[in-house]
Amino acid sequence: KAGVTQTPRYLIKTRGQQVTLSCSPISGHRSVSWYQQTPGQGLQFLFEYFSETQRNKGNFPGRFSGRQFSNSRSEMNVSTLELGDSALYLCASSLVGAWDTQYFGPGTRLTVL
Amino acid sequence: GQNIDQPTEMTATEGAIVQINCTYQTSGFNGLFWYQQHAGEAPTFLSYNVLDGLEEKGRFSSFLSRSKGYSYLLLKELQMKDSASYLCAVRDGDYQLIWGAGTKLIIKP
């Protein structure tokens, strides 16, 4: 069974730009969660989607948004990029929810200059 | 507030045993996960505890005490490939997953 895939793997943007990240979950998994990871901060939960609906949201500003398509693929968008948005963005899929065992993708490394 | 504490970094010797602790204060409890994350890679699932006691899986064991809000991950017969960060995550009473900042484990020959 193919694992979770994320594209692109690396991105370099400048302040003020926007970015869209993509995640394809494991086949059959309906829950997709997004996390931001920075050194020393651990995983910070952004949001979870299940069957095209946002089920949970973390404590991030409205510049961070996402969506899920009918095939469970998910996208995450960050608008008006700030230097502090530089991080590894991880996507995780699970069968029933973010509280279940999660399977992570390799991540997208975003650098904002 | 909800909080998970883990040591930031630990060092151990190849072939030895190391115990990585995790203490938590959450609103309710519905299980605890351990994940392993090698540098530059995605976290991978190691273990899950919901009842008190020890769960053994090969060289890795995970222990839980719900009354003490405490868990540990025990790694035996350490190998160089065990050098990684170990993340503790707690499923709270609302089934939200709360993550610790992770413990970086350095293995020396």
Side-chain angles (χ1 to χ4, degrees):
Chain A
K1 201 182 246 188
V4 179
T5 58
Q6 290 186 246
T7 56
R9 293 294 310 279
Y10 301 92
L11 263 180
I12 299 176
K13 294 284 187 180
T14 55
R15 278 180 299 173
Q17 288 187 307
Q18 75 162 20
V19 67
T20 299
L21 313 182
S22 180
C23 171
S24 293
I26 291 172
S27 177
H29 285 194
R30 296 164 66 188
S31 168
V32 174
S33 298
W34 288 90
Y35 295 90
Q36 182 193 68
Q37 188 175 39
T38 53
Q41 289 290 317
L43 292 176
Q44 303 293 315
F45 174 72
L46 281 154
F47 29 65
E48 182 205 358
Y49 285 86
F50 184 87
S51 292
E52 302 179 65
T53 301
Q54 186 180 88
R55 187 154 63 175
N56 265 310
K57 191 177 191 304
N59 192 25
F60 277 81
R63 300 186 296 107
F64 292 81
S65 63
R67 59 178 175 168
Q68 187 180 35
F69 302 94
S70 58
N71 61 358
S72 292
R73 190 177 71 84
S74 177
E75 286 183 347
M76 187 192 112
N77 185 76
V78 188
S79 62
T80 320
L81 283 166
E82 300 178 358
L83 295 178
D85 297 333
S86 294
L88 179 67
Y89 290 88
L90 291 163
C91 159
S93 78
S94 62
L95 270 173
V96 294
W99 60 82
D100 199 2
T101 302
Q102 294 184 82
Y103 298 86
F104 286 82
T108 295
R109 173 74 63 184
L110 173 64
T111 302
V112 182
L113 303 175
Chain B
Q2 310 211 85
N3 192 52
I4 295 181
D5 287 315
Q6 303 179 237
T8 303
E9 186 174 298
M10 298 182 69
T11 302
T13 305
E14 191 177 15
I17 299 173
V18 71
Q19 178 176 310
I20 301 174
N21 296 327
C22 170
T23 58
Y24 60 89
Q25 300 92 38
T26 56
S27 304
F29 177 84
N30 281 297
L32 185 145
F33 295 86
W34 284 97
Y35 283 80
Q36 180 191 58
Q37 185 177 25
H38 285 100
E41 297 183 13
T44 55
F45 170 76
L46 281 179
S47 68
Y48 171 69
N49 294 70
V50 66
L51 299 176
D52 291 348
L54 189 68
E55 294 277 344
E56 297 188 77
K57 197 184 284 187
R59 294 189 299 115
F60 292 9
S61 303
S62 56
F63 172 82
L64 174 68
S65 169
R66 289 172 296 172
S67 62
K68 295 181 179 178
Y70 168 69
S71 173
Y72 67 72
L73 183 67
L74 192 71
L75 289 74
K76 303 176 186 175
E77 301 168 16
L78 285 170
Q79 302 175 10
M80 298 303 293
K81 67 178 181 179
D82 297 329
S83 291
S85 288
Y86 292 86
L87 311 177
C88 171
V90 172
R91 187 193 289 172
D92 72 8
D94 293 324
Y95 279 78
Q96 302 297 312
L97 203 57
I98 314 298
W99 291 83
T103 298
K104 183 178 180 181
L105 177 62
I106 299 168
I107 309 296
K108 295 187 174 179

